[in-house]
């Protein structure tokens, strides 16, 4: 990472530590709490809604990725079916030509007629051609049967892929509705708050993240994290940090907007290594490393359901796409509940 980005990451961690340290800030008058729930309760409710939206987004992205693979497989099968049908047509034409030759010869091919000759040389030559012709006919019929069997298999597989494609279409629509439902519920809550309350809510969110980051740093974990990024890791970090400021949009994978796993998957794609599209698949399929061995470019997976992911950039910071209404940003690596760490280029 270049000097400017390291400085930005250090600034984030330093600010987090300063904000969380006791006795560092004077008390500031706060706006009154809205009737009913406290702002802290509202913060937790919003956090839960956005986490559910993130989980549904992951499920949507996975269904979409699977549908893309199935569509590609259907196209491939259609090509095989077309080639198989052309091959069958050619074999049938050749079989028909043989049958027509036999019909014109009174039911016997020319070679068989020559067997009836009294000339021993012609007889031996004809016998050899009959043997070769019989094998060719048998081979032709065998190939025709095999090609027809392949065609039936391709057609059956294509039908199965179509069924899976439709099932994933239904899944995508279900998850899309769930995403919109959770985001709409969160925005409805936010819409009921006054401007001052929204500012206070944002401050509460930051304070909660600061407390978590301070506790994480207080464990002394940074003293043991000193891994150096690989060349691909450096390229992935460079790409991810260049996206800072771009908005979070669920299901997006650039270039103008990203969701959390869209950002990490595209960053590693830019570094020359393809990885799974979703945070849950990244957690399931990528090699895991101990947090003490973490290095820039590694992916930190968050929450028990692996519904969020950020890229470690060093100095206790990550770059990530947080949630709807937020932009790609730097944050403390310990500001959320860490599930584990994976390394795409291990």
């Amino acid at each position: 990472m270049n000097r400017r980005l390291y400085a930005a990451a250090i600034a984030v961690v330093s600010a987090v530590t300063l904000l969380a340290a006791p006795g560092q800030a004077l008390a500031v008058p706060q706006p009154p709490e809205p009737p009913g729930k406290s702002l802290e309760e509202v913060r937790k409710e919003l956090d839960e809604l956005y986490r559910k939206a993130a989980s549904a987004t992951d499920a949507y992205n996975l269904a979409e990725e699977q549908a893309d693979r199935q569509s590609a497989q259907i196209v491939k099968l259609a090509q095989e079916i077309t080639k198989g049908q052309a091959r069958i047509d050619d074999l049938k034409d050749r079989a028909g030509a043989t049958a027509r030759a036999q019909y014109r010869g009174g039911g016997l091919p020319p070679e068989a007629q020559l067997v009836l000759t009294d000339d021993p040389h012609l007889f031996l030559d004809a016998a050899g051609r009959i043997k070769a012709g019989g094998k060719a006919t048998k081979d032709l019929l065998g190939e025709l049967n095999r090609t027809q069997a392949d065609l039936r298999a391709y057609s059956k597989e294509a039908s199965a892929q179509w069924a899976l494609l439709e099932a994933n279409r239904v899944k995508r629509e279900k998850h899309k509705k769930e995403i919109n439902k959770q985001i709409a519920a969160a925005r409805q809550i936010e819409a009921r708050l006054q401007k001052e309350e929204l500012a206070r809510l944002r401050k509460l969110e930051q304070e909660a993240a600061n407390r978590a980051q301070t506790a994480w740093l207080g464990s002394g974990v940074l003293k043991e994290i000193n891994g150096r990024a690989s060349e691909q890791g450096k390229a992935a970090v460079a790409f991810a940090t260049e996206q800072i400021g771009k908005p979070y949009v669920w299901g997006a994978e650039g270039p103008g907007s990203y969701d959390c796993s869209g950002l990490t998957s595209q960053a590693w794609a830019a570094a020359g290594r393809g990885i799974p599209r979703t945070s849950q698949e990244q957690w399931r399929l990528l090699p895991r490393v101990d947090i003490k061995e973490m290095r820039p470019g590694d992916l930190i997976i968050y929450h028990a359901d692996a519904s969020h992911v950020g890229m470690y950039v060093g100095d206790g910071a990550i770059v990530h796409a947080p949630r709807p209404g937020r932009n790609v940003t730097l944050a403390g690596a310990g500001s959320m509940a860490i599930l584990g760490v994976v390394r795409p280029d291990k």
Side-chain angles (χ1 to χ4, degrees):
M1 197 194 322
N2 61 38
R3 186 174 299 172
R4 178 180 64 82
L5 295 174
Y6 268 123
I10 292 170
V12 168
V13 178
S14 299
V16 164
T17 306
L18 181 62
L19 285 171
Q24 294 294 324
L26 296 175
V28 178
Q30 303 296 338
E33 299 282 357
K37 295 181 179 179
S38 69
L39 273 178
E40 177 60 19
E41 290 173 326
V42 170
R43 181 193 70 77
K44 290 179 179 179
E45 184 176 1
L46 287 171
D47 186 59
E48 182 64 19
L49 288 170
Y50 280 122
R51 279 191 54 199
K52 287 180 179 178
S55 184
T57 297
D58 224 39
Y60 176 92
N61 289 336
L62 179 59
E64 186 172 48
E65 187 178 39
Q66 290 172 337
D68 288 344
R69 287 199 298 267
Q70 286 149 6
S71 294
Q73 182 66 12
I74 287 170
V75 169
K76 183 178 178 181
L77 287 166
Q79 292 171 339
E80 294 296 334
I81 288 171
T82 299
K83 287 193 293 185
Q85 189 59 59
R87 182 62 180 155
I88 285 174
D89 292 342
D90 177 64
L91 291 169
K92 285 183 176 179
D93 286 344
R94 288 166 56 189
T98 300
R100 287 191 295 274
Q102 290 177 341
Y103 177 78
R104 287 193 299 270
L108 292 174
E111 294 87 349
Q113 296 178 35
L114 287 173
V115 173
L116 303 177
T117 182
D118 293 331
D119 188 323
H121 297 291
L122 288 176
F123 175 83
L124 292 174
D125 182 59
R129 279 187 283 169
I130 287 174
K131 184 176 181 180
K135 183 178 185 306
T137 300
K138 182 178 179 181
D139 290 346
L140 185 149
L141 292 175
E143 185 176 357
L144 180 61
N145 288 333
R146 287 193 300 273
T147 303
Q148 287 175 328
D150 289 343
L151 197 60
R152 287 192 295 269
Y154 290 144
S155 298
K156 184 177 179 180
E157 177 64 15
S159 296
Q161 291 297 330
W162 273 114
L164 289 173
L165 188 63
E166 175 61 16
N168 274 306
R169 185 193 67 78
V170 172
K171 284 182 184 178
R172 289 201 313 273
E173 289 304 311
K174 176 185 175 183
H175 296 311
K176 182 178 180 179
K177 289 179 181 178
E178 182 64 20
I179 295 165
N180 289 329
K181 174 185 172 184
Q182 301 298 339
I183 292 176
R187 288 178 175 167
Q188 188 176 32
I189 291 172
E190 292 170 331
R192 292 199 296 264
L193 301 175
Q194 300 297 318
K195 184 178 180 180
E196 295 80 6
E197 293 168 342
L198 286 171
R200 172 62 180 152
L201 181 64
R202 186 66 182 268
K203 189 168 186 284
L204 287 174
E205 291 173 356
Q206 188 59 57
E207 288 173 352
N210 291 348
R211 286 194 299 272
Q213 175 73 355
T214 300
W216 186 68
L217 292 175
S219 69
V221 66
L222 273 187
K223 295 177 182 178
E224 301 185 55
I225 298 176
N226 56 10
R228 293 186 177 182
S230 64
E231 289 305 310
Q232 281 189 309
K234 291 177 183 177
V237 168
F239 179 94
T241 51
E242 285 171 4
Q243 313 313 309
I244 290 174
K246 293 182 179 180
Y248 176 106
V249 174
W250 69 262
E253 45 189 335
S257 58
Y258 296 88
D259 62 20
C260 67
S261 56
L263 176 66
T264 54
S265 60
Q266 288 303 303
W268 271 100
R273 184 176 290 271
I275 65 173
R277 168 64 178 86
T278 70
S279 59
Q280 291 174 347
E281 290 294 281
Q282 289 168 5
W283 173 243
R284 188 173 72 87
L285 298 174
L286 294 178
R288 299 178 186 181
V289 297
D290 190 282
I291 197 167
K292 296 176 183 178
E293 300 173 3
M294 188 164 59
R295 68 190 188 193
D298 288 348
L299 306 182
I300 304 181
I301 309 297
Y302 293 96
H303 309 307
D305 60 356
S307 58
H308 191 69
V309 60
M311 179 178 291
Y312 186 62
V313 297
D315 298 312
I318 60 166
V319 60
H320 72 142
R323 65 168 176 81
R326 301 285 190 265
N327 296 332
V328 176
T329 188
L330 286 168
S335 59
M336 297 169 284
I338 296 176
L339 177 61
V341 180
V342 295
R343 177 168 297 162
D345 60 340
K346 185 174 181 180

